[in-house]
Amino acid sequence: KLIHLALTLFILAAASCTDEVIVDEQYGLQVTAGIAPESRTTFVEDGEWTHTHWVANDLIGLSSDSETNIAYKAQSSGSYSNFSANGNKSIASVEGKKVKAYYPYSGKAQGNLIPLPNTIGQSPTNPAAAFLYSESAITKNALNFKFKHVYSYLKLTVSSHIYKNNMQEGCSLEGGLYILSDHPISVKDATFNLQTQEITHNDEDNLRLIYFFDDMKYDTNENYTYLIPILPQPANT
């Protein structure tokens, strides 16, 4: 069963960035990156704070005017990770050269047009990937990225007890949320332009998002908190 909800969306803004260090040890180019806390779908809860961290084998894509969509892979998990070129290609260190970066890497990227991760159907065990982007210039053999996020995050807490007690007779316990908006809220087929930082929908605008509770135990009174990536919404949506 899908429950229809009228929601006030609180768009999480990154008030500050924390430095994540990425080093290309293979070619000596040092890359540092700041990531906003809401920018990653792997989270670590710490009291009222929500932290983000890299996961081993995460792939990011780097491009310059002369190099296109070169993949770099995280060597470890945590707040800090070494990244190395994932193959024979790498970014050559040239003083002053501008380099664009994004996460997660896609082999279908064409120039500055990067496919956005699909967000129309999500669940705790099958979360939608975040999407990050940045631009920097090589200075003294180093790149210093400050990543920004395209998606905002909707944080919801759901009681399994209340959910079960409000189900109609005969409905299956396998349920979820049907989230609706007056503005595009999810991505089915869209691209992000690294140059203009604009989103282009190649399909119809998606005003809905389905979030399935595939981790919920309905015979308990537990609360479940979900962080759901959505497209940024205008004020007073």
Side-chain angles (χ1 to χ4, degrees), residues 19-94:
D19 284 339
E20 315 276 340
V21 176
I22 311 168
V23 181
D24 178 4
E25 295 177 329
Q26 185 177 1
Y27 294 94
L29 180 64
Q30 179 174 307
V31 183
T32 59
I35 303 178
E38 297 82 17
S39 297
R40 183 77 164 77
T41 51
T42 297
F43 293 94
V44 177
E45 295 288 348
D46 180 16
E48 296 182 355
W49 296 95
T50 303
H51 302 287
T52 181
H53 67 275
W54 294 108
V55 175
N57 298 322
D58 272 346
L59 291 180
I60 59 176
L62 273 62
S63 298
S64 68
D65 290 340
S66 57
E67 302 141 325
T68 303
N69 203 33
I70 298 176
Y72 277 70
K73 182 170 67 174
Q75 301 301 300
S76 62
S77 299
S79 297
Y80 298 92
S81 177
N82 293 334
F83 276 58
S84 59
N86 189 42
N88 296 326
K89 296 181 179 180
S90 66
I91 294 293
S93 182
V94 178

Side-chain angles (χ1 to χ4, degrees), residues 29 66-67 91-99 137-139 141:
L29 180 64
S66 57
E67 302 141 325
I91 294 293
S93 182
V94 178
E95 185 72 12
K97 181 171 64 177
K98 292 183 178 180
V99 180
I138 297 176
T139 303
N141 203 38

Side-chain angles (χ1 to χ4, degrees), residues 2 51 100 188 194 223:
L2 294 175
H51 302 287
K100 297 181 178 66
K188 182 177 180 181
L194 287 175
N223 290 329

